[in-house]
């Protein structure tokens, strides 16, 4: 009997619904690993692909390298058949492959798609008929159709092409953005609706079936580009609104108005207002980076994304604003920044997480050091901080007991395990960039 592609999609759907489908997840990072565990909890046999052999070994040893994922969760996934590998040859065993690799910016603030293209080129030689390939990495609209599909088509020896409808031969491709908010436990991961855009209706339908097994709601859009743009709109919305409150905070400080009090009052309006909070600058893998994927792509269309550029300017200036405030606060205490001992509290880019990518703390420490301060840091999530793509700190976390030895403590990340009343009591001077000292009355606090 000849198996038509219509039969093939039904067959894959059945394999998904009966949990027999084999799912490969490429990139065992903050996005890929939790996703692998979600599928595993639903009794799929998952293979995690990663080029980092330490991650592969750790996972296969039943251990975790992400603080909020306990080792027991890896252990129980292992019992459900989860294993990690660096061997792309095993792609042939998969029905579905989901790509969750990094999409950073290069030194010129342009998209660096090398992880995506590297991954796709590694998958292509092993591609099988009827396989579904889904990209989850955040990227500019057009990446799936203009970059992923051509590389997959060019890189497989069997001459397979993307199947745009159920009747045609080939492989299926879709894009579905990750929408996780690290450290936010108020919404269960499966309650976050999953947006999906396919290269044709068959891919869309298959990808929606895959995600419906772990998410309560899937949202279909008409194309991968619409799904790519949806993710960017969400992050640009945050980036622009954070820039707005960061600017208004600076005005409020001059006018002696408490911006946090104002936001708390404004958010009582039951419609038309969503609260965003000012801070020391943007951090993380998404908000400081993703908007620039769109502004880069927009240039191809002779279009300037002015909101993104302006928000970028305001947000990028925030660590400098913090340092100016440290300088002013110290000088009011008769001390120059040069030679002053400064402790930065919090290295993570936000509260209660173990991720320091693009953290404003890194920039603030660098700026303070350049101006001659002797800087230390404390962060319960980072006993040491070595080198990254954009920093070389090589520092060790200083215990909080040492706070009285410092001329100034700068609160950059308001981890919930910090006892701020105690910190204020021990410190000579506190510069608070997060309103962490709200309700504490003391002359040594400078809020900025
Ligand atoms: N972290 C988040 O909260 C978050 C939220 C939404 C979207 N995203 C997006 O998801 C994507 C992944 O982000 P992340 O935070 O998980 O990154 P990550 O750096 O934590 O993980 C990426 C993993 O991919 C691996 N990798 C790199 N190149 C590879 C290759 N060629 N083959 C196999 N593995 C490879 C790395 O070793 C790493 O383990 C990015 O596009 C990011 O913008 C992240």
């Amino acid at each position: 009997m000849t198996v038509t592609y219509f039969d093939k999609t039904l067959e894959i759907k059945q394999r998904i619904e009966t949990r027999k489908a084999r799912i490969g997840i490429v990139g065992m990072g903050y996005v890929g690993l939790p996703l692998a565990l979600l599928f595993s909890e639903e009794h799929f046999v998952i293979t995690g692909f990663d080029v980092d052999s330490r991650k592969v070994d750790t996972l296969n040893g039943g251990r975790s390298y992400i603080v909020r994922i306990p080792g027991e969760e890896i252990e129980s996934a292992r019992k459900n058949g989860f294993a990690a590998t660096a061997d792309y040859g095993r792609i042939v065993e998969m029905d579905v492959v989901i790509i969750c690799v990094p999409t950073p910016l290069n030194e010129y603030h342009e998209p660096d798609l090398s992880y995506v293209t590297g991954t796709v080129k590694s998958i292509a030689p092993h591609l099988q008929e009827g396989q579904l390939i889904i990209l989850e990495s955040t990227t500019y609209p057009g990446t799936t159709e203009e970059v992923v599909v051509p590389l997959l088509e060019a890189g497989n020896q069997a001459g397979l092409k993307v199947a745009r409808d159920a009747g045609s031969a080939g492989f299926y491709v879709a894009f579905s953005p990750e929408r996780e908010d690290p450290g936010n436990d108020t919404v269960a991961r499966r309650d976050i609706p999953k947006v999906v855009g396919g290269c044709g209706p068959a891919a869309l339908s298959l990808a929606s079936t895959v995600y419906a097994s772990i998410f309560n709601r899937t949202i279909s859009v008409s194309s991968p580009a619409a799904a790519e743009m949806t993710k960017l709109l969400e992050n640009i919305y945050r980036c622009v609104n954070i820039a707005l409150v960061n600017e208004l905070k600076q005005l409020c400080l001059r006018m002696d108005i408490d911006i946090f009090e104002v936001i708390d009052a404004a958010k009582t309006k039951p419609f038309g207002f969503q609260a965003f909070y000012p801070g020391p600058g943007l951090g993380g893998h998404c908000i400081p980076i993703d908007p620039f994927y769109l502004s880069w792509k927009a240039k191809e269309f002779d279009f300037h994304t002015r909101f993104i550029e302006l928000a970028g300017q305001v947000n990028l200036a925030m660590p400098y604003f913090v340092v100016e405030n440290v300088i002013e606060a110290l000088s009011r205490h008769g001390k120059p920044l040069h030679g002053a001992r400064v402790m930065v509290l919090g290295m993570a880019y936000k509260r209660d997480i173990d991720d320091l990518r693009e953290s404003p703390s890194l920039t603030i420490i660098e700026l303070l050091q350049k101006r001659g301060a002797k800087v230390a840091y404390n962060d319960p999530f980072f006993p040491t901080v070595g080198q990254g793509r954009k920093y070389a700190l090589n520092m060790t976390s200083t215990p909080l007991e040492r706070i009285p030895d410092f001329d100034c403590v700068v609160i950059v990340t308001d981890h919930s395990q910090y006892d701020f009343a105690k910190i204020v009591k021990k410190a000579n001077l506190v510069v608070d960039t997060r309103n962490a000292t709200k309700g504490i009355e003391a002359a040594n606090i400078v809020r900025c």
Side-chain angles (χ1 to χ4, degrees):
M1 189 186 87
T2 341
V3 177
T4 68
Y5 273 83
F6 187 64
D7 293 330
K8 190 82 191 170
T9 59
L10 285 181
E11 185 194 313
I12 303 171
K13 274 191 181 173
Q14 256 174 10
R15 284 175 64 73
I16 295 165
E17 276 154 11
T18 56
R19 307 302 189 246
K20 290 200 178 92
R22 291 290 308 267
I23 301 177
I25 298 181
V26 186
M28 289 283 92
Y30 288 98
V31 167
L33 181 56
L35 189 66
L37 298 177
L38 270 186
F39 277 116
S40 179
E41 278 166 28
E42 282 301 318
H43 306 287
F44 286 95
V45 174
I46 304 299
T47 308
F49 293 81
D50 207 291
V51 285
D52 184 339
S53 57
R54 282 170 311 174
K55 285 189 177 167
V56 170
D57 293 344
T58 308
L59 295 174
N60 288 339
R63 297 184 310 277
S64 171
Y65 40 77
I66 295 179
V67 169
R68 64 178 188 277
I69 300 178
E72 296 81 62
E73 286 189 26
I74 311 290
E75 274 292 0
S76 69
R78 300 266 308 140
K79 286 186 189 128
N80 283 342
F82 169 68
T85 182
D87 176 9
Y88 270 100
R90 299 212 32 216
I91 289 288
V92 294
E93 300 164 27
M94 305 299 137
D95 296 290
V96 181
V97 178
I98 304 177
I99 303 170
C100 309
V101 295
T103 41
L105 293 171
N106 68 17
E107 55 189 305
Y108 305 108
H109 253 230
E110 293 165 344
D112 173 3
L113 273 191
S114 60
Y115 296 92
V116 172
T117 54
T119 300
V120 176
K121 283 181 190 166
S122 303
I123 291 171
H126 310 287
L127 204 60
Q128 303 294 301
E129 271 193 35
Q131 261 179 346
L132 169 65
I133 312 294
I134 306 173
L135 180 64
E136 280 216 10
S137 304
T138 308
T139 184
Y140 58 79
T143 308
T144 306
E145 286 282 13
E146 295 162 16
V147 178
V148 175
V149 168
L151 284 175
L152 288 173
E153 288 186 337
N156 75 89
Q157 285 86 16
L160 296 173
K161 299 283 172 210
V162 68
R164 294 196 178 269
D165 55 58
S168 50
F171 55 90
Y172 304 96
V173 178
F175 180 85
S176 178
E178 167 54 51
R179 298 168 119 180
E180 199 204 4
D181 182 15
N184 180 353
D185 296 328
T186 59
V187 186
R189 188 102 186 258
R190 64 176 308 132
D191 287 329
I192 304 173
K194 193 79 171 118
V195 173
V196 188
C199 298
L204 172 63
S205 159
L206 274 181
S208 302
T209 309
V210 171
Y211 287 121
S213 58
I214 53 167
F215 292 100
N216 290 334
R217 202 170 150 217
T218 60
I219 312 291
S220 299
V221 292
S222 60
S223 64
E228 289 158 341
M229 190 67 163
T230 303
K231 171 73 186 176
L232 292 183
L233 169 62
E234 292 166 7
N235 283 355
I236 291 163
Y237 175 76
R238 278 188 70 76
C239 179
V240 167
N241 279 289
I242 292 169
L244 174 68
V245 286
N246 275 335
E247 188 175 76
L248 291 183
K249 169 174 86 169
Q250 293 173 57
L251 173 63
C252 281
L253 279 166
R254 284 195 197 177
M255 296 176 78
D256 202 19
I257 296 170
D258 179 352
I259 181 78
F260 291 96
E261 183 189 1
V262 173
I263 295 169
D264 283 347
K267 78 177 186 195
T268 59
K269 187 176 179 184
F271 45 82
F273 183 83
Q274 190 188 350
F276 288 87
Y277 295 94
L282 296 180
H285 193 300
C286 299
I287 313 296
I289 290 175
D290 303 347
F292 295 103
Y293 267 68
L294 188 63
S295 45
W296 177 84
K297 184 70 178 173
K299 291 192 183 110
E300 194 182 308
F301 297 86
D302 292 335
F303 195 93
H304 288 278
T305 49
R306 287 170 293 167
F307 271 99
I308 295 175
E309 298 298 337
L310 181 58
Q313 270 174 32
V314 173
N315 289 328
L316 280 173
M318 291 316 289
Y320 293 83
F321 174 75
V322 172
V323 170
E324 273 167 33
N325 275 273
V326 173
I327 293 171
E328 201 181 313
L330 279 167
S331 81
R332 264 196 244 125
H333 278 66
K335 280 201 184 296
L337 179 63
H338 196 276
R341 285 155 302 164
V342 181
M343 182 189 268
V344 169
L345 285 195
M347 193 58 92
Y349 76 84
K350 70 173 183 177
R351 182 194 296 167
D352 299 341
I353 62 164
D354 61 332
D355 190 347
L356 54 65
R357 287 176 294 177
E358 313 294 324
S359 173
S361 309
L362 298 166
T363 315
I364 290 169
I365 291 176
E366 204 176 55
L367 293 175
L368 290 169
Q369 283 176 335
K370 269 195 195 151
R371 286 157 180 73
K374 295 182 183 118
V375 189
Y377 82 92
N378 173 279
D379 193 311
F381 293 91
F382 292 98
T384 59
V385 175
Q387 280 179 281
R389 269 162 66 99
K390 294 190 197 147
Y391 60 88
L393 291 184
N394 301 316
M395 292 165 81
T396 305
S397 178
T398 300
L400 294 176
E401 292 69 47
R402 297 263 319 276
I403 280 178
D405 303 344
F406 288 83
D407 299 306
C408 179
V409 169
V410 189
I411 302 171
V412 182
T413 320
D414 49 347
H415 288 310
S416 47
Q417 54 184 282
Y418 285 144
D419 180 340
F420 290 107
K422 220 166 151 185
I423 286 167
V424 169
K425 231 181 214 167
K426 281 200 212 164
N428 291 306
L429 175 63
V430 174
V431 173
D432 178 6
T433 70
R434 293 278 190 186
N435 203 29
T437 56
K438 182 183 174 184
I440 304 170
E441 291 303 327
N444 62 343
I445 303 174
V446 173
R447 297 187 176 99
C448 76

